[in-house]
Every structure is written in structure tokens, then in C-alpha cells.
């Protein structure tokens, strides 16, 4: 199978019909094809983009077709999504090519009888946009929440939540940020290399990089880079991929050489290996996770970076009595909704509900209460998530401190690219700080008398 749009259709059909994750559906579609890099990029853009912009595209269909998008045959709706996504969001594809290839898709996938409908709808859309009558921009929306939700393609409960926290203007900026393709940040392994050495190696491959203030190991890659494992220094363990926000978490933890560290939810191991680097690979890091396949990935990362101080521990960290009072520092990078990384996870915005966020918050509170027992008297615990939902962050911490008077927040003393809150926690808003959305707080156990 070599037609990139057909491959995108197959992946999207799996997302819509079976509820598959977009990245998994894309991997499966790629495994049955031999595409060049350019076509792979197009397929990736079409799949992730169509999933991200689903609400906006459905709205266009609702405005132009006699049958609403939800009443269209599911596979025809997917074909319309592909055509409209190209017309609305991909300037580099000529409109005629977008229309013709979409009509061809309809014919090749059992909709020959409806190919003239597909052709007519897409051409009607082109006529409207040519006359500045794009349904997305000329509609009189009932409210700001509806406008932002349809225009930027987000569920309304999320838009409302953000407006309550940061107001309408910044919510729109946040929506725009989450609809951009994500950047790739590296974390340099100082035990094997230096930032200058890696900058020079990338320069010889014509790959542009930029440093990130206050993060001594971070390097951002600019532009297209091809396959990660082909980049210089990958197999030698000179660097690993890790977003800047995630790097901040381990600096806040501040692991020291020779200490005992417990990473309570460690896989796939970015913060575990970062701790090992900061400890000069001395001491012991217990890397815990209940998912064996994710721990395998952690072991691969640790082996590639040639780390010796990491010990893998399989199981649910709510049930590790052997760790009580063992650690100088504990990291709880809690499982969360991932609402700070919606640009990386195309379908996450559609998978979450206020109800499952409530369940996450309950799990996070249980994990925190238990992870706190692992810390020696006077030790440190860092709680972190890649979500910006208060229920998973501030609420969890306030509740923990209310019921644990022997713990307190220890405000950061290191220089950070993000100002801590008056309470002492750090919340990274992606549109303000140009990195993944994250929450992190350092907690200190008061010494027992």
C-alpha cells in the first residue's frame, strides 16, 4: 500500500471505528507500507490533524451537507475529514489536488455513488472560503466557549475550565498552542558528552538547535529531523529525548551522588535516567512501575545511556512495604490525564471527561499518601504531573498537606524558567513558557524530634 491518503484513511478508520489511539493506528498503518520520508510526514499530518480538528471539521460538514456529520456513513465522514482538513489547514496542498484525491478515495473505498456529493461539498467549501464566507469564522456563536470550542476544536468542558483559570484571551492562545506540531527537546547526558559537542555534531548534519534558558542539559531541535535513531550520538547514549518541562522536574528533585532515590511511577524512564545523570550514576535509584512493557522501554533507555545505578522494581507502588523510610528523595511523577501535552497526543482531548479526571485525582492522592512513607525523616518528595487540571494538582497537594502536618512545601531555590506560585509550586502553562504543560511541587518531611 503506497498511496499516503489511503494509508491515512485506514489509520483514521481504526481510530473512529475501533477507538484506537491515533499513534498506535498510525504505527500499524505504516508497518504495512513502504513510504518515503515525505509521504510518511504527510500521513502523520493528515491523521493527527484530522483527529485534532475533528470538531471543527464536523461543524463544517454540518453547515454544508443536508445530513449532519453524525448521520453520514462513518467511513464517508472520515473521507470528508481528510479532504476538508487539507483544504482548511494545509496551505501547501493545492485545493484541486485535495478535492481530486478525496473524490478518488471515495471511489476506491465503496462510495462511488457518493463521489459527486464529495466533490460538490468540497468545491462548495472552496467557493465559500474564496469569498471570505468560511463557516468557522462567519457563524454567530452562542458564547465564547462555543466559539473557542468549535473554532479550535476542543470539548466545551475543557474550554470552560481554562477560561476559569486564565481568562478568554489566554485560553485562545493555549488552544492555538495545542494545535501546533510539537517541538522535540533533547536532554544531554553529561556523563558521555557535552552540549557543545552535540551542537557541533548536529551542525555537521545541517540540523539547527537552540539552547533553553535555565536548563543546562536541554537542546531544542528546530525543523524536520527524520528518524530519531539516525541522529548523531543516539546509539552512543549522548542524549535522550525529553521535553524541557520534564527536565525541570528532576532539577527540582535535586538528586545528589550516593543517595537512595525512589522513582515511584518511573516508566518509560526519562526522569529516572536524568536522576542517574545528576547523581553521576552513583547511589541507587529504584525505578518502579506496574507495566512490564513500559519497564522494558525503561531498561532499553538505561542500557543505551549506560546507567548502572538503576534497579528496576515491578509492581504497583501503593504496595511496596519494603520501601518504608528507605529513600533520601522520592519522585512521584503521577499517572494523569496528560492535559498539558494535548499537542503531542492528538486524541487525548476527546478521551477525557470531568468524571475520569475525578477518578485520576483519587488515584493520585492514594499514590502520594503511600509514596510519602518511602521518605526518610527530613527527606524530600517531588509530586509532578503533565496535566494543568487543578483537580490533579493543587487539590491533591492541599488535601495531602491538610492530613499530613509533618510535611510542608519547600519552594524552589534553583533558578527556573517559570515563576513559582505564592504557595511554592510550579505550574508550566505551555503558551506562556513554550514547553509542555506541567505541575510540580517539592515537599519536605519535617524531622522527627
Amino acid at each position: 500500500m503506497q498511496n499516503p491518503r489511503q494509508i491515512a484513511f485506514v489509520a483514521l478508520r481504526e481510530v473512529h471505528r475501533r477507538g484506537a489511539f491515533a499513534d498506535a493506528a498510525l504505527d500499524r498503518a505504516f508497518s504495512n507500507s513502504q513510504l518515503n520520508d515525505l509521504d510518511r510526514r504527510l500521513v502523520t499530518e493528515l491523521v493527527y490533524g484530522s483527529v485534532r480538528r475533528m470538531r471543527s471539521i464536523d461543524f463544517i460538514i454540518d453547515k454544508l451537507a443536508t445530513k449532519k456529520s453524525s448521520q453520514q456513513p462513518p467511513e464517508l465522514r472520515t473521507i470528508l475529514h481528510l479532504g476538508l482538513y487539507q483544504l482548511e489547514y494545509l496551505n501547501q496542498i493545492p485545493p484541486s489536488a485535495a478535492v481530486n484525491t478525496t473524490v478518488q478515495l471515495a471511489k476506491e473505498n465503496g462510495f462511488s455513488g457518493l463521489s459527486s456529493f464529495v466533490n460538490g461539498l468540497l468545491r462548495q467549501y472552496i467557493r465559500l472560503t474564496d469569498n471570505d464566507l468560511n463557516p468557522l469564522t462567519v457563524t454567530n456563536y452562542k458564547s465564547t466557549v462555543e466559539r473557542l470550542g468549535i473554532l479550535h476544536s476542543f470539548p466545551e468542558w475543557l474550554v470552560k475550565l481554562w477560561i476559569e483559570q486564565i481568562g478568554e484571551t489566554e485560553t485562545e492562545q493555549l488552544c492555538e498552542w495545542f494545535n501546533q506540531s510539537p517541538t522535540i527537546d533533547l536532554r544531554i547526558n553529561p556523563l558521555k558528552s557535552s552540549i557543545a559537542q552535540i551542537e557541533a555534531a548536529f551542525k555537521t548534519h545541517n540540523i539547527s538547535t537552540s539552547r533553553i534558558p535555565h536548563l543546562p542539559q536541554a537542546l531544542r531541535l528546530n525543523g524536520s529531523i527524520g528518524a530519531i535513531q539516525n541522529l548523531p550520538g543516539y546509539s552512543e547514549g549522548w542524549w535522550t529525548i525529553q521535553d524541557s518541562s520534564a527536565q525541570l522536574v528532576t532539577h527540582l528533585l535535586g538528586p545528589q551522588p550516593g543517595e537512595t532515590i525512589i522513582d515511584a511511577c518511573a516508566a518509560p524512564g526519562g526522569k529516572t535516567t536524568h536522576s542517574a545523570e545528576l547523581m553521576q550514576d552513583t547511589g541507587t535509584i529504584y525505578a518502579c512501575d506496574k507495566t512490564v512493557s513500559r519497564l522494558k522501554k525503561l531498561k532499553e533507555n538505561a542500557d543505551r545511556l549506560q546507567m548502572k545505578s538503576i534497579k528496576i522494581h515491578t509492581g504497583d507502588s501503593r504496595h511496596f512495604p519494603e520501601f518504608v523510610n528507605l529513600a533520601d528523595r522520592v519522585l512521584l511523577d503521577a499517572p494523569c490525564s496528560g492535559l498539558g501535552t494535548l499537542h503531542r497526543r492528538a486524541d487525548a482531548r476527546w478521551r477525557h471527561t470531568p468524571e475520569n479526571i475525578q477518578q485520576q485525582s483519587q488515584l493520585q492522592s492514594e499514590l502520594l499518601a503511600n509514596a510519602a512513607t518511602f521518605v526518610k525523616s527530613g527527606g524530600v518528595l517531588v509530586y509532578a504531573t503533565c496535566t494543568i487540571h487543578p483537580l490533579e494538582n493543587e487539590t491533591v497537594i492541599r488535601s495531602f498537606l491538610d492530613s499530613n502536618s509533618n510535611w510542608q512545601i519547600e519552594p524552589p531555590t534553583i533558578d527556573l524558567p517559570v515563576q513559582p506560585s505564592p504557595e511554592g509550586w510550579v505550574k508550566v502553562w505551555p503558551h506562556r513558557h513554550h514547553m509542555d504543560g506541567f505541575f510540580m511541587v517539592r515537599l519536605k518531611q519535617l524531622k522527627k524530634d
Side-chain angles (χ1 to χ4, degrees), residues 111-313:
F111 295 104
S112 288
L114 290 169
S115 59
S116 58
F117 159 70
V118 172
N119 183 56
L121 185 137
L122 297 182
R123 291 195 184 282
Q124 183 189 357
Y125 176 74
I126 292 169
R127 281 194 300 277
L128 288 171
T129 51
D130 283 350
N131 291 302
D132 294 328
L133 294 171
N134 185 330
L136 288 170
T137 51
V138 299
T139 298
N140 285 323
Y141 294 105
K142 294 197 289 282
S143 65
T144 301
V145 171
E146 185 189 62
R147 181 181 73 81
L148 294 179
I150 290 171
L151 192 57
H152 299 291
S153 194
F154 285 91
E156 291 192 5
W157 71 270
L158 256 185
V159 176
K160 271 186 197 149
L161 176 80
W162 293 336
I163 288 174
E164 283 164 16
Q165 291 182 84
I166 54 174
E168 291 174 13
T169 304
E170 280 202 75
T171 294
E172 185 145 26
Q173 291 166 1
L174 181 62
C175 290
E176 287 166 352
W177 167 272
F178 278 144
N179 283 331
Q180 292 171 5
S181 293
T183 54
I184 294 178
D185 295 346
L186 306 184
R187 189 191 76 235
I188 308 314
N189 178 2
L191 309 181
K192 298 283 168 200
S193 186
S194 70
I195 201 157
Q197 184 183 354
I198 289 165
E199 282 172 326
F202 276 64
K203 199 170 181 183
T204 62
H205 284 68
N206 295 319
I207 295 169
S208 161
T209 60
S210 48
R211 296 192 187 193
I212 296 164
H214 309 291
L215 284 169
Q217 292 168 262
L219 206 55
R220 180 159 291 172
L221 304 183
N222 307 314
S224 176
I225 55 166
I228 296 295
Q229 57 272 26
N230 296 340
L231 295 175
Y234 175 81
S235 51
E236 296 87 346
W238 289 1
W239 50 265
T240 195
I241 288 183
Q242 189 181 40
D243 187 77
S244 301
S245 291
Q247 296 184 42
L248 271 179
V249 173
T250 322
H251 286 298
L252 188 63
L253 181 69
Q256 301 299 311
E259 288 185 332
T260 298
I261 309 285
I262 295 171
D263 190 344
C265 299
K271 299 176 189 73
T272 313
T273 52
H274 193 192
S275 293
E277 288 164 5
L278 296 178
M279 294 163 71
Q280 290 151 33
D281 205 23
T282 65
T284 305
I285 304 169
Y286 292 100
C288 315
D289 210 275
K290 64 179 186 178
T291 313
V292 174
S293 59
R294 282 166 59 79
L295 281 171
K296 186 168 169 256
K297 182 82 176 149
L298 187 151
K299 186 174 182 332
E300 285 167 9
N301 279 330
D303 289 349
R304 185 176 61 81
L305 298 168
Q306 298 165 42
M307 303 296 185
K308 305 285 185 291
S309 57
I310 296 167
K311 295 190 183 334
I312 287 177
H313 211 78

Side-chain angles (χ1 to χ4, degrees), residues 9-71:
F9 168 71
V10 168
L12 283 168
R13 186 173 61 188
E14 205 181 325
V15 171
H16 293 149
R17 190 199 280 168
R18 298 200 187 93
F21 286 97
D23 54 353
L26 197 56
D27 285 345
R28 278 191 286 275
F30 280 149
S31 68
N32 299 321
S33 65
Q34 280 85 41
L35 294 177
N36 62 35
D37 275 355
L38 202 61
D39 282 344
R40 281 176 75 95
R41 281 205 292 276
L42 174 61
V43 174
T44 304
E45 176 66 42
L46 290 174
V47 171
Y48 285 163
S50 297
V51 171
R52 269 195 203 115
R53 299 286 191 169
M54 192 157 54
R55 188 175 180 199
S56 308
I57 297 170
D58 278 340
F59 179 80
I60 295 169
I61 296 170
D62 290 351
K63 288 288 184 186
L64 302 189
T66 47
K67 279 187 180 172
K68 299 277 188 201
S69 61
S70 58
Q71 299 168 315

Side-chain angles (χ1 to χ4, degrees), residues 377 446-449:
S377 175
L446 305 177
K447 283 195 171 156
K448 294 166 186 146
D449 296 330

